[in-house]
Amino acid sequence: MGVIAIKNKAVAKICLVAFFLNFILFAVKLYVGLSSNIISIYSDGVNNLFDSLSGLVTAVCFLWAVKSESALQKGFLSKTEQLLSVGLSVIVVFSGLVFAYSSAERLMYPTPMWFTMSFLWMLMGTAVCKLGMYFWFKKQNKKTDSQVLEMMSLDCRLDFFINLVTIITLIVSKLEFYAFDALCGIGISVMIIISGGKSLVSSVKELVNIPDNATRQKVEQVLSSFGFNGQNSEVTFQFAGTKQAYIKSENEPDEGTLEEMKSQVLEKTGIEIYLLK
């Protein structure tokens, strides 16, 4: 098994753990949110559900990548992962808008909320769990250098601060200040919309194959050192995503040269190179 396959398998296992942990957090917050009638807690719980589904989808894609051998399979996998990422981002943004509407409605028509110490301890437990996940993802990212884990760690940090807001909301509910719940719900909705919007923009860029110019230049410099020139009429150089590039040339390199070229491009740019025959 190659280095890339080992890395993909490790990231897939971490994503599966994230799937189960986020699903448990979703269940806890759903129970507390519905039982206390606090919409901000319920909204945060649904946000964890999307985090859970995202982890599951990512894990499946990476496990599939471990078994994929041909460039065609890897290219199809890349597109599938990008499409799913775009779909999940759209759902997150839409959910944020729905929660914002519900919170605004709650602001106009307040309803009673219920506080118990058990609810408070449950929410504090979820906050500690999210903080622990943040440090764990950061540690694992140092080992795998995975952009996926980096994004998941940032998401956990955002969720931790959202947790703190929901805890404050639950405590303030004892004062029967009904509008505070709605205001917190709107605040959380805005954070979810912004986070989902950034993810959507990033996913769309990958889907339509828009790597930055600096990345293109670095890859082409390495290719040029092996006799491949992206501007040469005999060579077709095409990015299939921000982490993959496909080359088609009339002069096919020998196996040793190809492997050395792949190794240098991956080391210097983080891009996986595939030769289309």
Side-chain angles (χ1 to χ4, degrees), residues 101-156:
Y101 173 81
S102 300
S103 299
E105 188 177 42
R106 179 71 67 92
L107 186 63
M108 293 183 289
Y109 306 103
T111 58
M113 297 180 291
W114 293 274
F115 169 89
T116 67
M117 284 301 300
S118 61
F119 292 163
L120 180 60
W121 284 114
M122 287 181 186
L123 286 186
M124 292 177 66
T126 61
V128 171
C129 183
K130 271 295 179 181
L131 188 60
M133 290 171 67
Y134 165 72
F135 287 112
W136 184 59
F137 286 144
K138 290 284 288 185
K139 181 179 179 180
Q140 296 302 318
N141 186 39
K142 291 181 179 179
K143 298 179 182 178
T144 60
D145 190 26
S146 169
Q147 186 178 12
V148 171
L149 296 186
E150 182 179 357
M151 293 302 297
M152 290 174 71
S153 66
L154 292 175
D155 182 68
C156 284

Side-chain angles (χ1 to χ4, degrees), residues 144-184:
T144 60
D145 190 26
S146 169
Q147 186 178 12
V148 171
L149 296 186
E150 182 179 357
M151 293 302 297
M152 290 174 71
S153 66
L154 292 175
D155 182 68
C156 284
R157 185 171 64 180
L158 173 65
D159 287 348
F160 170 73
F161 287 110
I162 292 177
N163 270 171
L164 294 182
V165 174
T166 58
I167 290 173
I168 294 173
T169 305
L170 183 64
I171 294 174
V172 172
S173 69
K174 295 176 61 177
L175 305 176
E176 297 186 351
F177 179 39
Y178 303 150
F180 188 76
D181 169 46
L183 293 174
C184 288

Side-chain angles (χ1 to χ4, degrees), residues 147-256:
Q147 186 178 12
V148 171
L149 296 186
E150 182 179 357
M151 293 302 297
M152 290 174 71
S153 66
L154 292 175
D155 182 68
C156 284
R157 185 171 64 180
L158 173 65
D159 287 348
F160 170 73
F161 287 110
I162 292 177
N163 270 171
L164 294 182
V165 174
T166 58
I167 290 173
I168 294 173
T169 305
L170 183 64
I171 294 174
V172 172
S173 69
K174 295 176 61 177
L175 305 176
E176 297 186 351
F177 179 39
Y178 303 150
F180 188 76
D181 169 46
L183 293 174
C184 288
I186 292 174
I188 291 177
S189 299
V190 171
M191 286 189 282
I192 292 174
I193 292 170
I194 293 175
S195 177
K198 289 181 178 179
S199 176
L200 179 60
V201 172
S202 175
S203 300
V204 170
K205 283 185 177 180
E206 289 193 7
L207 183 64
V208 297
N209 305 332
I210 308 180
D212 58 86
N213 292 330
T215 300
R216 285 180 176 273
Q217 292 174 0
K218 287 181 181 179
V219 174
E220 289 178 349
Q221 286 174 0
V222 178
L223 293 178
S224 296
S225 67
F226 286 89
F228 285 81
N229 189 334
Q231 297 178 351
N232 192 309
S233 59
E234 296 182 352
V235 177
T236 300
F237 179 70
Q238 179 182 3
F239 272 89
T242 58
K243 293 296 181 182
Q244 293 179 329
Y246 293 84
I247 302 173
K248 186 175 182 180
S249 173
E250 295 180 2
N251 301 319
E252 184 178 336
D254 59 73
E255 189 67 27

